[in-house]
Structure formats: structure tokens, C-alpha cells
Amino acid sequence: MNRLLRISLLLFALASTAAHAKTPLARGTGGAAATISEQATQSAITILDQGGNAIDAAVAAAATLGVTDPFSCGIGGGGFMVVYLAKDRRVITIDHRETAPAATTPTLFIEDGKEMEFDTAVASGLSVGVPGTVRGWDEALRRYGTMSFEQVLAPAIDVAERGFRIDANFSTLVARNEGKFARFPAAAALYLQNGKAIRPGTLLRNPDLAGTYRLLGRDGVDAFYEGPLARAVVDTVNRPPTAPGVSVRGSRMTLADLANYEARVRLPVHSTYRGYDLYGMPLPSSGGVTVFEALNLLEGFDLASMSRAQVEHLYLEASRLAFADRDAYLADPEFVDAPVAGLLSKDYATQRRALIDASHAASGPVSAGDPYPFQQDPSQPLRPTTRVPQPESAHTTHLTVSDKDGNVVAYTFTIEDWGGSGMVVPGYGFLLNNELTDFDFTAPHPNIPEAGKRPRSSMTPTIALKDGKPAFSIGSPGGSTIITTVLQTIVNYIDLGMPMDQAIDAPRMSQRNGGTTDIEPGFASTMQAKALVARGQRWSDQPEEIGAANALVFNADGTVTAVSEGHRHGVGSAQVQTPKR
Ligand code: GLU
């Protein structure tokens, strides 16, 4: 970022601190939080101030995001939480990804022998996976938290009941989904006015969601997975309550699907990069494996001695190769024996790195490699597929929290598309996900729909340690661009030496083994872009904002810096318990 932009950002940050607490950058001591929502960050700090730990505060922030950012996330969806436990000095992860109902078959999205149109699949009962978020929160609190549902949901209940003024970003998201919400009266009642998106400045209350959170506070996790609320979810998914004249496909979810839903506590995926120990989300998220494979490819280049353009060229090429492997091999590990050890082996990276042309971009999509010789057990190879990857949406939210004792949470959760399936559970105030469209629609592929399976994800909550201590956390929303946002931010921070706020603010480029690279508006005409075009890089002609990252940096002087977005998705919100200038 140039100096002027940086100064204006800082001034902007200071001005917003003066007007209200919303600033994307904060440094200090005690706990810290960064989310995309001012109210959510405040909920985390409130819980920390009440003596809760980072896990308690992360759930409080997430529940608040379910109110203020309901199109990205909520209890109708699922997610992945990575936690550094200071006392045990170890990292664990909680997978609460949605599962396909037991009645699911590989032809879930096939109609008349053909793949269903993506948008038709999204706005239907078929796309809804069994929601995992509430089970995930419960697992997190019971195992690693110190507070009850009742305590951590209180700040979110307050926001849902009192309401909040929606901003332009919120209204734009509704406008983009008017058609989807109009199909479902319960969604239209919340987010539309006379069939049109509610306007910026509108005070939005969600008493139904407040009531749902209260129910969870009173009766605990079972109130979501059994009883009237579970029945309402199943009814909505199987017989979607639509506007007159609208009909959408229903599913065959059962009460048993909900009652049987389990979150998984999994070991993180681990790798090293230039002296850092990186911990990320294992399968069924492809995030950790893909970022770490790309970093292994980059590790063989002396990036510190190179120009920014050269580093960025290599970043794009490494991402291309890693995505070819991701698309070919990665899926739910309970269904598919994916060659993760091979993909993450440094020797495999050495072999695959030879495919990178340091002076010119690949001419188009590249093939997946063969990681099997680098597996400990190379016996049963999957056949890599070279099919064009399934379209994926680009939404979700990421938050990160630390506490005074050194615990750190990096948490990404979602309902998939903006507004998920578009179906609000009547009387309960939350949107249901469309996560099952993250499956590949056509067999054979490791990531096809199967009963009880979790669709492959891109979510990449990541915690980095250095010398055994937390160094930084990072994560982002954005569908499959999550992976490139996390990768690029790590390269910006570690290799290009940018402070984390600059690393996050820098223009994003997302190369996911396509013919062109996705970029953000205004980028193509910059000198930075031209230097990459000179190396054969090509841009997509529909630039769009990419991601909305949040990070924490643990500084050598014992302070922590919380960093959110300075200009994407509105402006994010970073706070520390005790600010320090
Ligand atoms: N469904 C996506 C995933 O799990 C996340 C949605 C998004 O970020 O847009 O990877």
C-alpha cells in the first residue's frame, strides 16, 4: 500500500474510533478480537472482560455475527474452529461441517441425467446439510470454555432484541438476493420491504432469533437437535414453505439426521514455513492442506531476495499447482483416503516445484501431481480427475480471538452462499445453509454427495507458532478464494515483510488453476498488475472484492495487534482489552 493510502487509512481508523468503536486496527494487552462486525467484536471483548476465555468469547462473537451478518453465517450452517490451548501448548480443531442426510445418494443434484443448474440447487431443500454450528459451539464450550450457552449468548440476544442499523453493505447483499428471499415468506418478512431490500439505516430486530438463542441458553444443545426446533428445521427442508406460485425441491432430512449429528475434534494439519509452525484445518476442509502445499512449493525459492512482482508471480504459480491437487484428491476423510501426507511432503514439493516457470505463467490449468510415492502407504491410489471444478460461492465469515492467558481461536463459519438456501426457519429467525452444493455434482469424484458425508470446504482458519509460542492467526471468507487470501496474506507478511494490516489490505489475486486469475476492482491498471502481465499472468474480466480477512499478531513486546479489513465488506472491527498506543 502506498504511504498516502496508509496514512488515510490510519486517519480513517482514528476518526472511526472517535465516532464509535469501529476500527480495523488495535494494539494492546490482555485479550483481543477481530471480526467483520463491530457488535461481534464488542461481544467478544465483553465476554473477555467478564472473565471468559478466548473460546467463550469466540462463541459470543460468532453468535452475534449470526445476528449482524446473517447472510454469511449462523446456526443454520457449519464451520471450523482452530484453537491454541495455552496451558497444554497444543492446537486442536473442531470440525462442525454440515453433513448430508442419510437419504443422500451420489445423484443428489442430477436431474434427467444432467447436473441441476447451480442456482436451482442452492435455493432448495436439497442443498441443506444438517447444521453443525450449535453442536460445534457446545463442543467448544464444554471441552475448552469456561462459560455456559446462557452466558455467551447473552450479548447476541441483546443485539437481536434491541436491533442494529443496517449499513450499505448489508442492504446490497439483500438486494443481490431479493429473488431468492422473495421465494420464502419467512426470509422476505425479515429482509425485504414490499419485495425490495431493506434500506441502509433501517433498524433491524430479530426477536425470533433472540428467542432461539434463549432456548439454547435454557435447554442447551439438545434444544437444537431434538424437539420442536429440530422438527421445524426438518419440515422447512423437506417441504420448503414458499410464496404462492413458487415451488422448490424438498429434501429427505429426518429427525434422526439431526439427533445423530456429531462434531469432530480433529488434530490440525501441520506444516512448517521459514521458521514458523503452521496449524490449519484438516479435511474435510481443503484449506490447510492446499495452503501448506503451496507454501512448500514457495519455500524452495529465495523470495526474500526477489522483487515484489517476482514473488507474486511465484505465489500465483504455486497456488495454481496446489489447486490442481486440491481439486483432484481432497474430500471428507471419513469417506475418501486422500493422500494428505504425500501432498504435504517436502520431497513432493521439490518434485512439483520443477513445474514452475519462474519467468512465465502456465498457459492454463495444470494437471494434478502424483503424491502417492510420497505417502507412507502408497498402495491404493485414487485416480486424479481433471474435470473443471464445481462452481463455488464466495461468502462466509472469519473471526479470531485471544485471551490474557494466551489461548487463541481462529474460527471460520458459514451458511455457504450469501443467504444460504434462502430459507429462514419460520418462527426461529435463522437462515438454513446450502452447504451441500459444495459437493461435486457428478461421479466419479472423491467429493460426490454420499449419506452422512461432509462436503469439501475451503475454510482456512490458521494459527502460526514461532519458537513454540503463538505468532499470528489468520483466516478469511470467500469460498475457494479463502485459500488464496490466506496464502497471499502469509506471503505478504512473512516473505514481503509487510505489517499484518498492510498484508491484509494489499490487493488480492486468486489463481485457482484457471486460465485467468481473479482480481479486485481497479487492480488491472496498476503498475503492480502490469509487472505480472509481463510475466504472462492474465486477469479475469470481472473484478470483484475478494475476502474479508481477520488476524491477530502476537508481538515480541508482549502486546497483541488485532487486524481487520480497512475497506472490504464495509470496514472490520478490531479491539483489544487494554489498548496501548
Ligand atoms: N462453502 C464454502 C466452503 O466451505 C464457504 C463459503 C464461502 O466462503 O463462501 O468452503
Side-chain angles (χ1 to χ4, degrees):
M1 185 179 10
N2 69 37
R3 248 193 57 231
L4 206 66
L5 184 57
R6 214 171 133 59
I7 291 170
S8 30
L9 247 181
L10 214 83
L11 286 177
F12 175 76
L14 290 176
S16 25
T17 326
H20 50 89
K22 193 166 190 183
T23 164
L25 190 60
R27 187 173 77 94
T29 53
T35 83
I36 209 64
S37 149
E38 182 180 354
Q39 294 89 343
T41 299
Q42 185 53 53
S43 295
I45 297 292
T46 300
I47 291 296
L48 292 174
D49 286 346
Q50 288 173 2
N53 69 10
I55 293 91
D56 303 319
V59 175
T64 307
L65 280 158
V67 180
T68 60
D69 242 29
F71 311 128
S72 309
C73 61
I75 57 175
F80 297 103
M81 191 183 282
V82 177
V83 186
Y84 173 74
L85 299 163
K87 193 162 57 69
D88 304 339
R89 302 174 67 137
R90 71 191 170 105
V91 179
I92 58 93
T93 76
I94 302 174
D95 161 1
H96 48 285
R97 182 72 160 168
E98 301 89 330
T99 52
T104 304
T105 67
T107 56
L108 179 66
F109 296 118
I110 302 293
E111 212 172 41
D112 302 327
K114 288 203 303 274
E115 286 190 4
M116 205 175 273
E117 205 222 323
F118 191 71
D119 289 345
T120 308
V122 167
S124 81
L126 295 181
S127 69
V128 183
V130 179
T133 294
V134 176
R135 188 76 79 195
W137 291 353
D138 182 62
E139 211 66 56
L141 291 178
R142 273 190 306 107
R143 288 172 186 262
Y144 310 111
T146 68
M147 288 182 164
S148 65
F149 260 153
E150 193 178 1
Q151 287 167 296
V152 300
L153 295 179
I157 291 172
D158 198 45
V159 177
E161 250 167 10
R162 287 205 284 165
F164 64 100
R165 300 255 165 223
I166 68 158
D167 61 13
N169 188 59
F170 190 108
S171 177
T172 305
L173 288 181
V174 185
R176 276 169 59 170
N177 287 285
E178 266 169 19
K180 184 158 78 175
F181 294 150
R183 294 164 160 231
F184 306 107
L190 258 179
Y191 302 121
L192 304 182
Q193 221 166 16
N194 305 322
K196 291 276 161 227
I198 44 175
R199 311 274 312 148
T202 307
L203 182 74
L204 183 65
R205 295 196 177 90
N206 191 340
D208 285 351
L209 183 55
T212 303
Y213 283 168
R214 264 211 180 89
L215 182 69
L216 298 180
R218 199 188 62 216
D219 295 348
V221 63
D222 288 346
F224 190 91
Y225 291 97
E226 291 167 25
L229 172 44
R231 162 66 63 198
V233 169
V234 165
D235 287 347
T236 305
V237 173
N238 294 348
R239 285 178 298 283
T242 53
V246 175
S247 97
V248 303
R249 291 160 184 78
S251 176
R252 285 184 293 155
M253 193 181 280
T254 64
L255 286 171
D257 286 323
L258 277 151
N260 292 337
Y261 179 85
E262 288 177 353
R264 299 270 190 267
V265 177
R266 299 187 192 275
L267 286 176
V269 56
H270 169 249
S271 190
T272 56
Y273 187 63
R274 303 199 200 278
Y276 289 87
D277 278 283
L278 301 174
Y279 294 89
M281 206 57 224
L283 293 172
S285 183
S286 60
V289 175
T290 311
V291 168
F292 297 167
E293 180 189 339
L295 289 173
N296 284 345
L297 295 171
L298 289 171
E299 205 169 35
F301 296 100
D302 182 16
L303 300 187
S305 70
M306 293 179 185
S307 68
R308 178 168 181 177
Q310 189 59 21
V311 171
E312 288 178 340
H313 168 72
L314 293 172
Y315 146 68
L316 293 172
E317 295 308 291
S319 179
R320 187 191 300 279
L321 287 166
F323 260 89
D325 288 344
R326 168 208 185 257
D327 294 341
Y329 294 114
L330 300 183
D332 185 342
E334 292 171 28
F335 287 72
V336 169
D337 192 9
V340 170
L343 291 171
L344 289 181
S345 114
K346 301 275 185 189
D347 291 337
Y348 176 62
T350 303
Q351 186 196 68
R352 200 147 168 73
R353 190 180 304 123
L355 298 174
I356 295 181
D357 181 339
S359 56
H360 206 271
S363 58
V366 296
S367 305
D370 180 5
Y372 284 97
F374 302 90
Q375 284 281 106
Q376 275 161 359
D377 170 14
S379 52
Q380 289 181 327
L382 286 170
R383 233 170 317 124
T385 97
T386 48
R387 202 142 27 81
V388 178
Q390 190 66 33
E392 290 178 42
S393 316
H395 324 94
T396 304
T397 200
H398 176 77
L399 65 96
T400 179
V401 184
S402 65
D403 64 29
K404 63 175 176 17
D405 297 322
N407 300 300
V408 185
V409 176
Y411 181 27
T412 315
F413 76 126
T414 189
I415 54 172
E416 218 300 287
D417 196 15
W418 289 123
S421 62
M423 296 190 281
V424 166
V425 183
Y428 291 95
F430 64 91
L431 281 154
L432 287 166
N433 70 84
N434 64 298
E435 216 68 55
L436 302 191
T437 58
D438 273 1
F439 282 123
D440 282 75
F441 287 12
T442 305
H445 191 282
N447 186 41
I448 53 163
E450 293 181 77
K453 191 171 176 180
R454 297 169 193 229
R456 181 191 63 210
S457 169
S458 298
M459 291 187 267
T460 315
T462 304
I463 294 177
L465 307 191
K466 195 156 196 187
D467 303 325
K469 289 197 289 251
F472 64 88
S473 71
I474 177 73
S476 175
S480 50
T481 70
I482 291 172
I483 293 172
T484 53
T485 294
V486 170
L487 173 61
Q488 189 181 358
T489 308
I490 291 175
V491 169
N492 286 347
Y493 181 71
I494 296 181
D495 294 301
L496 293 174
M498 297 180 194
M500 189 57 90
D501 58 324
Q502 278 187 45
I504 282 181
D505 195 69
R508 296 200 176 120
M509 296 165 265
S510 181
Q511 170 48 251
R512 306 189 304 284
N513 199 25
T516 58
T517 292
D518 287 343
I519 50 170
E520 300 192 290
F523 179 70
S525 58
T526 60
M527 294 302 290
Q528 188 188 350
K530 287 180 183 151
L532 288 161
V533 170
R535 289 166 170 81
Q537 299 295 347
R538 293 176 306 283
W539 313 130
S540 94
D541 48 17
Q542 287 180 318
E544 262 201 288
E545 187 173 286
I546 299 174
N550 285 288
L552 298 175
V553 176
F554 301 92
N555 305 306
D557 65 358
T559 61
V560 54
T561 303
V563 189
S564 191
E565 291 285 354
H567 64 270
R568 296 184 183 93
H569 199 78
V571 171
S573 170
Q575 280 197 58
V576 290
Q577 270 185 293
T578 312
K580 199 166 174 175
R581 291 236 172 248

